[in-house]
Amino acid sequence: MSSKLRSLLKKIYLNLTRHKVIDALKIKIMEKVSFKIAKECSYKDKPEIFETIFLETRTLCNGNCSFCASSRRYRHMPWARKDKMMPEKTVKKVLSELKKINFKGRIAFHVNNEPLLEPRLLKFVKMARKACPQAYIQILTNGLLLTKDKGEKLLKAGINELNINNYSDKLVFRENIEEFLRSMVPKFPNVKIEAHLRKETAILTNRAGSSPVGIPINKPMRAMCGYPFKQFNITVNGDVGLCCQDLFFKQVMGNVNKKKILDIWFGSSFIWARKELLKGNRKSIPLCSKCDSAGYKTVQLKQLPFYWSFLGRLAMER
């Protein structure tokens, strides 16, 4: 199937499904699929160590996306986040603790920010690689500030992945990104370098109620969510959020400046939230009660029979 035909079919499908009854049906499907994936993944309220740790070392973003409250188009709003940076001692403490447990998962320098705005990023990447030689280090960027020099230094510093989301409503790659891909992909064949075209005005999830254009839900979903079982999100002041959807870090699980990472991960706040999610009780968690995220990723659908995988993917389409 050609990309044009696939795009046309998706547009037709989305137009057909923008109806309250269909929306309600899609939510019901997501709810059922979330529990099936939870069963396949054997989620527990006290899981193994997190797969990914996200370090938001600066709160600023230079993107202009309508769906994200961190976008520069909303900086004039009274609720907009102020530009703050994480103290280097906090980064060192986190990496020191990861080193002690020989962390082999993913380390990323973003939550809801643009990592290339962080002037210390290269230094932090080198620190992370030294502390955790077997970890998978990812940089996820919108590419606005990406240059061959800046990108090459990060690649040489030991990152495993450079993932670029090129936001453009015309779905056209920017010149600096095309030039970077042409010169760097052949030069670093063992590093995952990807670029994706995405629309600035896309309607995605409501990001637990924080998205300025997100669609509010009438009542909390009765669904599982895998994020608090897999990820550890830290913002500039050391606060740990429940998941990546918590842009304002309202549901705080602990603070890495006051407690050890593992004490927070296996602590009462996380365990309580996971138990509630395993029962589908999003309504009992303030953040989750407003969220319309499916609670699973498309890659996890591969673990299900084709029928449920197909429905789960359709239900996620916006």
Side-chain angles (χ1 to χ4, degrees), residues 75 78 115 129 132 143 148 190 196 200 221 242 253:
R75 284 183 192 166
R129 177 51 69 214
C132 305
K148 287 194 293 184
N190 296 322
H196 310 273
E200 282 186 334
M221 291 173 62
L242 179 61
M253 300 289 103

Side-chain angles (χ1 to χ4, degrees), residues 19 39 67 129 134 161 175 188 191 209 230 252 269 294:
H19 188 280
K39 185 177 180 180
F67 55 81
R129 177 51 69 214
Q134 297 182 70
E161 179 182 343
E175 188 176 331
F188 294 89
V191 180
K230 301 288 185 181
V252 178
S269 295

